[in-house]
Amino acid sequence: MGLQTSGRTRRAERALQRQLDYQRRKSAQVKGHEQQLIASMMAHSNAVRGKLEAVKPIAPDARVLEVGCGAHGLIFYFGTENGVGVDPLADHYAELFPAWQSRARTIAAPGEHLPFKDASFDVVLCDNVVDHAEGPRQIVEELARVLAPGGLLYFEVNVHHPFYHVAATTHAAWRALGIPFEITPFADHTVHFTLDAARRLFDGLPFRIVSESDNIAEVKDQYDRSRTRHAGDRLKRFFFKNAQYRVIAVREG
């Protein structure tokens, strides 16, 4: 295993542990207020389903998979009889958030190695996942493999100014050398994608992209209008961070 690969493996493991710690705290905080979170989850799931159904109707018995369903994924209120969620921490989340995790079958597995046969699903969802994982491109290849010809894909990932890619690479290098200093945003991600790098995830794969969008202009405007609280906010006015890149695609035969 090369230094780059082993470093990415360690970052992925660290990101998972940080996510689990965060969701454990959140589980305690939301007790008694679950309905507020459920309403937000339902709205997000309905919005994504609406975008997909503008391309092609989704049958009630459609086979739907969410890769990286996490603690509050789309699959739990997507309105399908055959919904499955996959996440490395699925067993933990089922215990932490039983109010909605029981609404879909979940499997603890990495997105890089999905435990399904080829063409097993009619709809595949992957919402803000691959930049926390060890093999982003490998996950996208798996999305293509398990999606049936003619099936629908919804994909979203955060994108950033190239400055953050350079900063994240530097952070990864000193962590690989054993330097203990850790910057929280870089510890939560294995990679900070630029817009071009996110687009390249789909190169050569059997997808016909139906729609592609980002909200970089909106994010830049928000930073320009927001009150500056600390040095990080000033930096974001010049180098945008945490914009969304979204793709809706159809799996070609």
Side-chain angles (χ1 to χ4, degrees), residues 37-78:
L37 191 51
I38 287 172
S40 176
M41 292 168 61
M42 291 178 66
H44 187 36
S45 293
N46 289 337
V48 169
R49 179 163 183 147
K51 292 178 188 296
L52 290 171
E53 291 202 304
V55 177
K56 182 179 180 180
I58 299 173
D61 61 348
R63 303 165 298 170
V64 182
L65 170 69
E66 182 172 13
V67 176
C69 59
H72 317 97
L74 296 164
I75 196 67
F76 303 110
Y77 291 97
F78 197 76

Side-chain angles (χ1 to χ4, degrees), residues 29-246:
Q29 293 168 358
V30 303
K31 285 191 183 301
H33 307 282
E34 288 90 350
Q35 288 304 316
Q36 297 176 19
L37 191 51
I38 287 172
S40 176
M41 292 168 61
M42 291 178 66
H44 187 36
S45 293
N46 289 337
V48 169
R49 179 163 183 147
K51 292 178 188 296
L52 290 171
E53 291 202 304
V55 177
K56 182 179 180 180
I58 299 173
D61 61 348
R63 303 165 298 170
V64 182
L65 170 69
E66 182 172 13
V67 176
C69 59
H72 317 97
L74 296 164
I75 196 67
F76 303 110
Y77 291 97
F78 197 76
T80 179
E81 300 170 1
N82 296 313
V84 181
V86 169
D87 194 283
L89 300 174
D91 292 345
H92 296 281
Y93 294 149
E95 295 178 2
L96 291 172
F97 302 101
W100 55 81
Q101 288 274 329
S102 60
R103 292 177 56 88
R105 181 167 67 100
T106 58
I107 299 170
E112 293 90 345
H113 303 285
L114 295 175
F116 307 109
K117 296 179 180 179
D118 295 359
S120 294
F121 296 93
D122 306 302
V123 179
V124 172
L125 314 167
C126 189
D127 184 18
N128 192 22
V129 171
V130 300
D131 53 340
H132 301 274
E134 182 176 351
R137 166 68 184 200
Q138 191 175 352
I139 291 176
V140 180
E141 290 173 351
E142 282 287 270
L143 304 181
R145 182 182 67 78
V146 301
L147 186 58
L152 292 170
L153 170 73
Y154 178 85
F155 176 89
E156 181 174 322
V157 70
N158 281 358
V159 293
H160 316 270
H161 188 281
F163 169 84
Y164 292 98
H165 172 71
V166 175
T169 301
T170 304
H171 180 267
W174 79 53
R175 292 290 293 166
L177 292 173
I179 299 172
F181 179 62
E182 182 175 75
I183 299 175
T184 296
F186 299 141
D188 292 337
H189 297 77
T190 55
V191 61
H192 276 61
F193 282 107
T194 63
L195 179 58
D196 286 344
R199 284 173 169 157
R200 287 197 296 271
L201 288 170
F202 293 88
D203 285 355
L205 295 179
F207 288 117
R208 174 173 60 84
I209 294 179
V210 176
S211 69
E212 178 186 38
S213 63
D214 67 76
N215 67 342
I216 292 174
E218 178 184 341
V219 168
K220 287 181 177 179
D221 184 61
Q222 288 175 352
Y223 287 139
D224 287 342
R225 292 186 287 106
S226 63
R227 182 170 60 89
T228 300
R229 298 165 298 171
H230 46 68
D233 286 344
R234 287 193 291 272
L235 191 65
K236 291 173 186 176
R237 290 190 175 186
F238 297 97
F239 308 112
F240 73 88
K241 196 173 189 297
N242 293 331
Q244 283 79 48
Y245 170 64
R246 301 181 185 92

